[in-house]
Amino acid sequence: MSTEPAAPEPPSALVSLLYLFVFLIVVFMAAAAGGAITATSVDGWYQTLQKPPLTPAPWVFPIVWNLLYFMMAISAWLVWRAAGSFDRAGFALALFGGQLSLNLAWSIVFFGLQSPWLGVADIVMLDAAILGTMLAFATHSRLAALLLAPYLAWTLFATYLTVAIAVLNS
């Protein structure tokens, strides 16, 4: 007799599709909240800041972030699907929720509070949280972890921008 737990039964196609939409809605609600906060300062306060070399044109940010948010939602959904339940994927999805919260918090502190140094503190924690999420996701789905790699790369680039803005405007 095997003591291995039985492999989870995959959810039905309808349930799986429903949860895909739930993950997309949750992730894009966080994106919309961050975008609304960013919009309060991006055309005013942010324009007055000195920016470092390699700062992208303003139109680049929404394109990149929308793609990354889409990939994040797909990634979380793949983990849920591979695990077969929220119970089995709980730790990994909790980390995902934590990094998503830190992502939103960055918009709040950087743009909402207009505090680049708080933004630095937040984004360093975000970098670590994304890496931790990737490692946890890899135990359920290698593809899910790989889908977060561009997000980590972009956030590391955003870390450079945030630190440089904090230093240049101190």
Side-chain angles (χ1 to χ4, degrees), residues 5-61:
E9 192 171 312
S12 71
L14 183 60
V15 169
S16 186
L17 186 61
L18 174 66
Y19 276 102
L20 173 58
F21 286 123
V22 168
F23 281 110
L24 287 165
I25 289 167
V26 168
V27 168
F28 277 98
M29 283 178 59
I37 293 162
T38 298
T40 64
S41 297
V42 77
D43 289 329
W45 169 77
Y46 181 74
Q47 295 304 321
T48 68
L49 297 174
Q50 291 181 36
K51 317 276 187 329
L54 305 178
T55 299
W59 61 267
V60 171
F61 292 99

Side-chain angles (χ1 to χ4, degrees), residues 8 22 28 50 60 85 100 111 122 125 128 137 154 161-163:
V22 168
F28 277 98
Q50 291 181 36
V60 171
S85 72
L100 190 60
F111 283 108
D122 181 90
M125 291 186 293
F137 275 22
W154 182 260
L161 295 173
T162 303
V163 169

